[in-house]
Amino acid sequence: MTSFKLQWCFLCVLIGATSAQLSSTFYSSSCPNALSTIQSAVQSAINNEARMGASLVRLHFHDCFVNGCDGSILLDDNSTFTGEKTATPNNNSIRGYDVIDTIKTQVENMCPGIVSCADIVAVAARDSVVALGGPSWTVQLGRRDALTASLSLANSNIPRPSLNISDLITSFSDQGLSTKDLVALSGAHTIGQARCTSFRAHIYNDNDINSTFATSLQGNCPSSVGSGDDNLAPLDKTSSTTFDNAYYTNLLTSEGLLHSDQQLFNGNGGTTDSQVQSYSSDSSTFFTDFSNAMLNMGNLNVLTGTTGEVRINCRKTN
């Protein structure tokens, strides 16, 4: 009898573990048009402003680095907690909340209470990359939404543009991501723009940046703090609205916009030099590794089963 109970309990654990796994077909029956609806809304947003594609990818990244991919970044402040939107890496920087709101409204109208905000963010990131010419991957679904957010973890966990390579590796490792994932995910900087506050120190103080490139940026980003802080520059000077491998080509000529970008390549056999060189000459390898890294990141500490909830409004808990 005892043996039977042990076997039964073990079976219960297996069933529980299986039910908690993400699945690419999670909404096939409960909301079959969810993915096509998200894709159409993302395409519309990018048609209106190409930069939004990069913003939606970044939204997913910043969400996943704080307690996992749980939609916590979308929560507004309330009487219980201060959310992540005003954290230093996010404040006046993260965009795309309104696009997620639009998608959520459309999906709720079709399938009330079924599709989580966290899943919408993950799918929107994939669809943004595809819309801008990058690779596709099969997003695993079934995430549930967090009931809280963390300002302190957003300030400490999200990698800063001032980090050196060793600190970048540690930051990603702390999240369960490899150095290979770090270099591949950094390739998302082949699209989008950055604020002067993010690259000012790099273009005035660092010696690992092409001097001509640095000078070309200084006219739009004065050295004095508070002057031109919100002025923008493309993260990829070559093709900032096309998802390609030019980001890595730029690093070979010391034309990475951020300090953290150029840290991936120093030309002296550094830890990540060979991977950067590989991606710069072979976009297909980059696309494959980027897709795999996005899947790895998208699976970080997800809430599934009965944990969390499916928010009706992505900005507040039910």
Side-chain angles (χ1 to χ4, degrees):
M1 187 69 173
T2 302
S3 176
F4 174 77
K5 287 182 177 179
L6 288 173
Q7 291 175 358
W8 174 249
C9 289
F10 181 66
L11 180 61
C12 289
V13 171
L14 286 179
I15 292 173
T18 302
S19 65
Q21 299 301 307
L22 300 181
S23 165
S24 61
T25 58
F26 191 83
Y27 299 115
S28 293
S29 298
S30 60
C31 195
N33 294 321
L35 296 187
S36 60
T37 299
I38 297 171
Q39 191 277 330
S40 295
V42 168
Q43 186 65 63
S44 177
I46 291 175
N47 288 344
N48 185 56
E49 182 195 10
R51 181 188 170 205
M52 185 53 69
S55 297
L56 291 172
V57 174
R58 188 162 178 254
L59 184 65
H60 183 38
F61 182 95
H62 282 220
D63 181 37
C64 291
F65 264 65
V66 182
N67 285 329
C69 309
D70 59 3
S72 60
I73 195 173
L74 305 174
L75 289 169
D76 289 337
D77 298 351
N78 61 32
S79 59
T80 305
F81 61 82
T82 301
E84 298 162 21
K85 292 181 176 179
T86 56
T88 300
N90 298 333
N91 193 35
N92 297 319
S93 180
I94 286 292
R95 309 165 69 245
Y97 299 120
D98 53 337
V99 176
I100 301 300
D101 289 340
T102 297
I103 295 172
K104 181 62 173 173
T105 298
Q106 293 175 359
V107 173
E108 282 296 311
N109 287 338
M110 292 190 307
C111 316
I114 299 296
V115 182
S116 69
C117 300
D119 273 349
I120 290 173
V121 171
V123 175
R126 188 272 311 274
D127 291 346
S128 294
V129 170
V130 173
L132 295 176
S136 183
W137 58 92
T138 302
V139 179
Q140 299 299 300
L141 304 165
R143 298 168 189 78
R144 286 167 67 84
D145 298 321
L147 299 173
T148 188
S150 176
L151 176 68
S152 61
L153 288 181
N155 276 320
S156 62
N157 286 10
I158 297 171
R160 300 183 304 279
S162 60
L163 292 185
N164 293 324
I165 186 62
S166 59
D167 293 325
L168 286 168
I169 291 172
T170 298
S171 177
F172 276 68
S173 177
D174 287 346
Q175 299 300 324
L177 296 170
S178 68
T179 301
K180 182 177 182 179
D181 290 329
L182 158 65
V183 181
L185 289 171
S186 296
H189 286 179
T190 192
I191 52 175
Q193 301 186 67
R195 296 163 65 226
C196 171
T197 52
S198 297
F199 60 86
R200 174 182 283 125
H202 183 48
I203 65 173
Y204 284 101
N205 303 331
D206 290 351
N207 58 12
D208 64 346
I209 184 172
N210 180 294
S211 59
T212 302
F213 178 59
T215 300
S216 72
L217 293 163
Q218 291 171 2
N220 193 44
C221 183
S223 59
S224 56
V225 175
S227 180
D229 285 359
D230 292 329
N231 291 349
L232 300 172
L235 286 157
D236 170 1
K237 71 181 185 65
T238 308
S239 49
S240 64
T241 58
T242 300
F243 197 98
D244 54 24
N245 65 337
Y247 165 80
Y248 299 102
T249 304
N250 294 337
L251 296 184
L252 298 186
T253 54
S254 301
E255 294 176 298
L257 181 66
L258 307 180
H259 175 79
S260 55
D261 289 330
Q262 197 57 55
Q263 281 291 294
L264 300 181
F265 184 82
N266 64 24
N268 296 315
T271 307
T272 55
D273 276 11
S274 61
Q275 192 176 345
V276 170
Q277 290 171 321
S278 173
Y279 293 164
S280 71
S281 61
D282 187 351
S283 60
S284 63
T285 298
F286 163 49
F287 279 14
T288 297
D289 289 355
F290 180 83
S291 299
N292 290 333
M294 287 294 284
L295 284 169
N296 292 340
M297 185 183 76
N299 291 343
L300 292 176
N301 301 317
V302 294
L303 301 176
T304 58
T306 57
T307 57
E309 66 180 9
V310 175
R311 285 186 226 134
I312 306 303
N313 180 335
C314 291
R315 293 177 180 264
K316 60 183 182 180
T317 60
N318 297 339

